[in-house]
Each structure stands twice: as structure tokens, then as C-alpha cells.
Amino acid sequence: MKHLISPLDLNKTEIDELIAIGNKMYENPKDYSSICQGKKIATLFYEPSTRTRLSFEAAMLNLGGNVLGFSSADSSSAAKGESVADTIRVISAYADIAAMRHPKEGAPMVASQHSSIPIINAGDGGHNHPTQTLTDLFTIKRLKGRLDNLTIGFCGDLKFGRTVHSLVQTLARYYTNIKFVFISPEELTIPSYLKKEVLEDNNIPFCEVRLLDDAIADLDILYMTRVQRERFFNEEDYVRLKDFYILTNAKLKSAKEDMLIMHPLPRVNEIATEVDEDPRAVYFKQAELGVYIRMALICRLLGLL
Ligand code: NCD
């Protein structure tokens, strides 16, 4: 049995296979509509979520399975002081697979050590978010046709943004000729473990800039992110930094015609709504594609495909 805790728990072949299955599921969803009949996914969400939780649930329902779970720590026995280890021991008897989101880094890993069913990390603190990475790779592959030879700009809260951390690790490890451009204010730069161990030690080129205008013209992909309010120690810093970047149609004038604008969502202010009409804006498509790659992942972890 296998869990998905870190994005690197999957090797490149396994990612390629998931993308291939995801493509088939996207093109012929009916062919898979009863493959998970009699199976249940538990969604254990100790932190807010719209897309991740509902896309896991939609994925399982599309596969003919069922869903159970909770959407906040307050509505589970965590509020009474139950440990993640105890919760998962019990859930293992209720469901066949579980997706867990938790504010504490490492909580899904702890759960996996006490679980007899596959555990999927659906986001742990500011650490990792491997199924968003699968969603992002699936989106890039489908819309750009390749995962190699890309210049990708990450813009916004690169310090706390777990989707950025997971995607950077995966692109750096498995794909060739990727150039990383990190666009953030001084206080929200990419963590040094990623810069040093993941990029520098492997001679992968990257640069850090403050202004989006200085980078946008070179990018094949612009990956925007929200400033992660819930991870700040004080509200003042958040208020000062939250509107540091706002992508507008005017700013997009110097971007390539086929640049993809991605965002894991939710958006707050960092992309003006006028940009939604631009054909390069693919963030809603990205959220849609997340369902199909999660369908593929569920089937794989359950040993059904
Ligand atoms: C992201 C997350 O939860 O890390 N959302 C998501 O899962 N699509 C990004 C965010 O909350 O900013």
C-alpha cells in the first residue's frame, strides 16, 4: 500500500502514468463511472478548503464511489483533543482511502504511520500540497503540450505557499531545462532549503526579482499565488503585503501571447477580474482538471488501474 505525502513520493514514470490515465478519464469519463463502486473516500479537513476537498469528493463520486468526512477541525473530535493518530486508526475502519488537510506540517505523514488505508496529503501547513502539483502538471501538459523547456515565474507569497514548494521540487527533480523566476517581496521569498538543496546543489538556474514587470516578458507560465494570511504572525504584515502584486490587463501587455496564467485559487486581489477574459488565464480550467487527475490518483492508490 502506498501513500502520497510528499510530491516526490511519486517517481517520474508514475506521474506520467497518472497524467495518461487523467487524460483518458477527462476524455471518456463514462468508462470509469463505476470503477470505485463500493469504495469510500474520507476527506479529513482540519483547515478550510473549497476546491481540494470538493474535487476529491467529485472525483470519487465520478468513479461510482462514496464520500464521508469533515470540513473543519471544529466539527471533528479534534476539537475534543483527539490526536491525528487515533482519528486515522478509526477512519481506517470506515473508509478505503483518505485525503487529509492539516495546518500542522507533517500531520498527514503521522497519519500515514498509523493508517491501514492510503493517505493523501491534501495540504500540510506551509509545507506541501502534492495533489495540487499533479493538477498543475496535468494542466501544463494538456495546455502547453510539454513539461520540459519552460520558463516559469512564481509570483506572490513564495515563503508560505505550499503549492509553490511542491511544484518547484517536482519540476526541478523530474523535468529538464526548466528556468525558475521567483517574484516576491523581500519578506516572502522562497525558502532557503529549496534554493540551496533543490536548485543550487543541482545546478538548476533560477533568479529572484521584486517586480513582476521585470520578469513577465520572458515567461512561458506565470503562476500567481495568494498571500497566505493564516500563516502570518501579525495582521499588520499581512495588510502591508497583501496587495503587493495585482495582475491587470495592462501588465499583461508585455507577456508572451501563449503564456499561461495559472493560480491554485482561491484568488483574493492578486489577479484583477478583468484578466479572467484573457485566453491566457487558465486558472478555472486548472481547477476543473484537478478532478480528473485526482480520479486517476484514487484509482492508482486503490490498486484499480
Ligand atoms: C491552495 C492551498 O490550499 O494551499 N489552494 C488549493 O488547494 N487550491 C492555495 C491557497 O490556499 O492559496
Side-chain angles (χ1 to χ4, degrees), residues 60 62 73 89 91 95 100 120 191 234 236 266 294 296:
M60 190 49 136
N62 286 347
R89 274 199 195 104
I91 303 289
M100 174 181 285
I120 301 168
N234 70 70
E236 252 167 62
R294 289 187 172 96

Side-chain angles (χ1 to χ4, degrees), residues 123-238:
D124 62 327
H127 191 215
N128 271 320
H129 194 344
T131 64
Q132 183 64 44
T133 295
L134 289 174
T135 300
D136 299 338
L137 296 174
F138 188 44
T139 304
I140 298 169
K141 180 75 181 167
R142 279 195 70 88
L143 302 183
K144 205 101 196 126
R146 64 181 195 274
L147 286 163
D148 299 303
N149 309 316
L150 291 168
T151 299
I152 175 162
F154 290 91
C155 178
D157 185 348
L158 312 187
K159 180 179 182 186
F160 296 116
R162 56 194 173 195
T163 69
V164 173
H165 304 162
S166 289
L167 184 55
V168 168
Q169 286 179 65
T170 309
L171 286 170
R173 172 74 71 95
Y174 298 137
Y175 299 95
T176 54
N177 195 22
I178 306 286
K179 295 191 185 81
F180 294 92
V181 182
F182 298 118
I183 308 149
S184 74
E186 196 89 49
E187 293 94 329
L188 298 178
T189 53
I190 189 107
S192 53
Y193 77 90
L194 286 171
K195 264 192 279 189
K196 168 100 187 56
E197 284 141 52
V198 175
L199 300 172
E200 277 166 7
D201 290 357
N202 295 298
N203 298 316
I204 295 171
F206 71 93
C207 65
E208 292 185 278
V209 299
R210 296 288 161 266
L211 299 179
L212 185 51
D213 287 334
D214 290 346
I216 198 164
D218 296 328
L219 305 179
D220 299 309
I221 294 169
L222 172 59
Y223 192 101
M224 294 295 295
T225 62
R226 160 184 84 90
V227 176
Q228 306 277 301
R229 181 182 203 159
E230 64 275 37
R231 317 244 181 263
F232 274 69
F233 293 111
N234 70 70
E235 183 72 5
E236 252 167 62
D237 287 348
Y238 169 72

Side-chain angles (χ1 to χ4, degrees), residues 17-30 32 54-56 58-60 62-63 131 134-135 138-139 142 284-300 305:
E17 284 168 4
L18 285 173
I19 291 175
I21 298 169
N23 277 326
K24 286 193 200 153
M25 290 177 158
Y26 182 72
E27 269 133 41
N28 297 301
K30 285 214 171 72
Y32 302 89
L54 295 184
S55 69
F56 268 115
M60 190 49 136
N62 286 347
L63 296 165
T131 64
L134 289 174
T135 300
F138 188 44
T139 304
R142 279 195 70 88
F284 292 114
K285 187 75 192 168
Q286 187 183 351
E288 178 195 342
L289 290 169
V291 174
Y292 297 91
I293 202 74
R294 289 187 172 96
M295 287 165 67
L297 178 68
I298 290 169
C299 287
R300 259 300 153 98
L305 279 177

